[in-house]
């Protein structure tokens, strides 16, 4: 038995009463939603990547950096040396976060491009 979708109600309209503009919009929406369903794993994956990236950044700057600063202070590390180490650590971590962001952005852009191609194929195949 074939499952009905929420759009099936529109397929029962007689051809004489169909508005071609509405039908085109309906067809587009139907194909678009099918593609969203097909790409849902990739969408969730990207969402998780972005969430983890943001959480890692927040954790580093709000928790780890202050803890490292405190540890260096407790260990009585020379003030100039502490500043130098912390500056290098922050620069390196910022560079690492930037690279991670670029990788996520490139992956997302690639998936969006694939999605748009699939939408265009569906639309031109109608």
């Amino acid at each position: 038995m074939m499952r009905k979708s929420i759009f099936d109600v529109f397929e029962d309209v007689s051809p004489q009463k169909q508005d071609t503009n509405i039908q085109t919009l309906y067809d587009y929406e139907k194909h678009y939603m099918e593609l969203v369903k097909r790409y849902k794993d990739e969408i969730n994956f990207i969402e998780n990547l972005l969430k983890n990236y943001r959480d890692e950044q927040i954790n580093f700057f709000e928790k780890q950096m202050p803890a490292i600063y405190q540890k260096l202070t407790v260990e009585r590390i020379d003030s100039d040396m502490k500043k130098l180490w912390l500056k290098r650590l922050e620069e390196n971590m910022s560079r690492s976060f930037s690279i991670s962001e670029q990788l996520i952005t490139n992956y997302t852009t690639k998936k969006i491009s694939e999605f748009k191609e699939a939408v265009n194929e569906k639309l031109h195949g109608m």
Side-chain angles (χ1 to χ4, degrees):
M1 182 174 161
M2 194 166 141
R3 263 181 76 190
K4 290 200 172 240
S5 75
I6 60 172
F7 299 108
D8 288 341
V9 68
F10 296 108
E11 293 175 358
D12 294 336
V13 177
S14 71
Q16 295 85 5
K17 293 184 179 182
Q18 285 183 347
D19 180 336
T20 55
N21 291 331
I22 291 174
Q23 187 63 40
T24 301
L25 288 173
Y26 160 72
D27 290 340
Y28 176 81
E29 183 75 16
K30 181 179 175 184
H31 293 301
Y32 191 84
M33 294 309 295
E34 287 171 2
L35 288 170
V36 168
K37 190 188 306 184
R38 190 170 93 199
Y39 282 89
K40 74 178 180 176
D41 291 337
E42 287 87 351
I43 293 168
N44 287 330
F45 179 72
I46 291 169
E47 180 182 18
N48 287 332
L49 282 176
L50 290 170
K51 181 186 180 312
N52 292 338
Y53 168 76
R54 288 184 200 110
D55 290 347
E56 187 178 353
Q57 260 189 321
I58 289 168
N59 181 51
F60 177 74
F61 287 109
E62 290 183 2
K63 294 178 182 168
Q64 291 179 5
M65 278 295 283
I68 293 168
Y69 177 85
Q70 184 63 31
K71 180 69 173 172
L72 293 174
T73 301
V74 168
E75 295 295 327
R76 299 183 190 269
I77 302 298
D78 176 68
S79 179
D80 290 336
M81 187 59 65
K82 180 171 55 175
K83 286 178 188 175
L84 179 65
W85 287 351
L86 290 172
K87 181 180 179 209
R88 285 184 181 170
L89 176 60
E90 186 173 349
E91 287 172 351
N92 288 331
M93 288 304 294
S94 293
R95 187 171 35 257
S96 175
F97 286 130
S98 178
I99 290 168
S100 295
E101 183 179 28
Q102 286 177 327
L103 290 171
I104 293 169
T105 300
N106 290 342
Y107 179 81
T108 303
T109 303
K110 180 180 178 233
K111 288 300 173 184
I112 289 171
S113 177
E114 287 177 19
F115 187 83
K116 285 180 180 179
E117 281 181 36
V119 168
N120 285 331
E121 287 174 14
K122 284 278 192 177
L123 288 176
H124 291 84
M126 293 177 8

